[in-house]
Amino acid sequence: MTTPPALLVAGQGTRDDTGSEAFRAFVRELGSRRPELPVAGGFVELSRPPLGDAVTELVERGVRHFTAVPLMLVPAGHSKGGIRAALARETERHPGISYTYGPPLGPHPALLDVLERRLDEALGGTAGRRPGDRADVTVLLVGPGSTDPDANAEVHRAARLLWEGRGYAGVETAFASLAAPDVPNGLDRCVRLGARRIVVLPYFLFTGVQPDRVRQQTEGWAEAHPEIEVRSAGVIGPEPELLDLVWERYEEALGGHHAPGHFHQGVDSHAH
């Protein structure tokens, strides 16, 4: 019986220690899901451990083949290139290793469900109970922002998918940096479109410098516009849906040929 490849989780990196520790804890939790399979994680930039160290860790554990899954909602051009460049260097450093590359997480239905939960929480809902009518709620989905237009387009795609069938007045987009509109201008646009209640929803996996900036900008705008109800929602976080999705992307990278006992647990199996 062929041994399944190890899992290498590739993160973008953050200057925020809380965010980088959340990533490391998430990787540990992934490993606990399948203790017989080596799992390691590293960052493309800014945070430790670097991706190269994670590959070395796997090699030292006897791994020759692994699957790399980018733990990114919106992989921009530089981060996509950074992962591939780092992995290319590692194949030179460790002759004989090979890897497959998984698709990014994207606006998967399970993650859209988590985003919807974060909105409900921001509006005062509790577990199993939605807050009142959503028809007067406008959502401002805030992505990281990039110089890569394809990455920014993915945020717009997520916004459209989040709006479909969920009953919100609308879902608009803004960006934390590098792309327009920024959060204040995005909020201004919501008001011009007739918004009465706005929830700012960060499109980020974990806490970090950019989500903190989004919340600060939201609070500053809200203070200057007391006539508008504005609330801030939380990041996605290490939810079971996210853990399941990483294993689903792992499977997809292997072409879907696996022994019985699929790794995803309870996740909608079609990917977007």
Side-chain angles (χ1 to χ4, degrees):
M1 181 176 175
T2 303
T3 302
L7 171 62
L8 176 69
V9 184
Q12 174 60 48
T14 173
R15 292 183 176 87
D16 181 84
D17 290 340
T18 303
S20 55
E21 177 52 35
F23 171 90
R24 291 187 290 266
F26 184 80
V27 172
R28 292 192 293 270
E29 181 63 23
L30 280 168
S32 72
R33 288 282 187 102
R34 288 187 55 81
E36 77 282 5
L37 192 71
V39 175
F43 295 97
V44 178
E45 58 186 4
L46 301 176
S47 307
R48 298 195 63 81
L51 201 59
D53 286 7
V55 174
T56 298
E57 175 190 336
L58 291 176
V59 171
E60 289 175 349
R61 294 169 66 180
V63 169
R64 310 303 292 168
H65 310 287
F66 62 86
T67 290
V69 174
L71 194 68
M72 302 173 190
L73 290 170
V74 185
H78 72 281
S79 55
K80 288 182 288 191
I83 294 173
R84 294 187 184 279
L87 295 178
R89 287 193 298 271
E90 295 311 306
T91 58
E92 294 178 1
R93 286 181 56 210
H94 305 286
I97 68 170
S98 63
Y99 66 89
T100 54
Y101 191 78
L105 302 179
H108 187 281
L111 294 187
L112 295 172
D113 288 346
V114 177
L115 291 173
E116 183 178 12
R117 198 156 68 234
R118 294 290 176 262
L119 289 168
D120 283 347
E121 291 164 357
L123 290 166
T126 57
R129 184 182 68 84
R130 286 183 178 179
D133 187 12
R134 298 173 170 184
D136 66 345
V137 174
T138 298
V139 178
L140 184 64
L141 183 70
V142 184
S146 172
T147 55
D148 180 355
D150 287 338
N152 297 331
E154 280 297 296
V155 179
H156 283 272
R157 179 169 172 254
R160 177 69 193 193
L161 291 169
L162 182 64
W163 178 77
E164 290 281 357
R166 289 182 169 84
Y168 301 112
V171 180
E172 299 298 316
T173 54
F175 298 94
S177 64
L178 299 176
D182 59 13
V183 172
N185 280 303
L187 287 164
D188 288 342
R189 173 177 166 77
C190 291
V191 172
R192 286 197 302 272
L193 292 172
R196 294 153 50 197
R197 303 171 68 204
I198 306 171
V199 180
V200 177
L201 176 63
Y203 193 47
F204 292 85
L205 292 175
F206 305 120
T207 56
V209 173
Q210 287 190 316
D212 287 347
R213 182 187 303 137
V214 169
R215 184 173 288 271
Q216 290 165 3
Q217 290 178 340
T218 300
E219 290 172 353
W221 189 94
E223 287 177 8
H225 300 80
E227 73 281 5
I228 305 295
E229 180 184 342
V230 183
R231 302 191 181 200
S232 292
V235 297
I236 289 173
E239 294 293 295
E241 292 93 336
L242 183 58
L243 289 156
D244 293 337
L245 179 55
V246 172
W247 283 117
E248 184 173 327
R249 293 298 190 238
Y250 168 89
E251 291 185 9
E252 290 173 16
L254 300 181
H257 302 295
H258 312 287
H262 294 291
F263 303 143
H264 56 274
Q265 300 172 18
V267 160
D268 191 343
S269 61
H270 61 279
H272 291 271

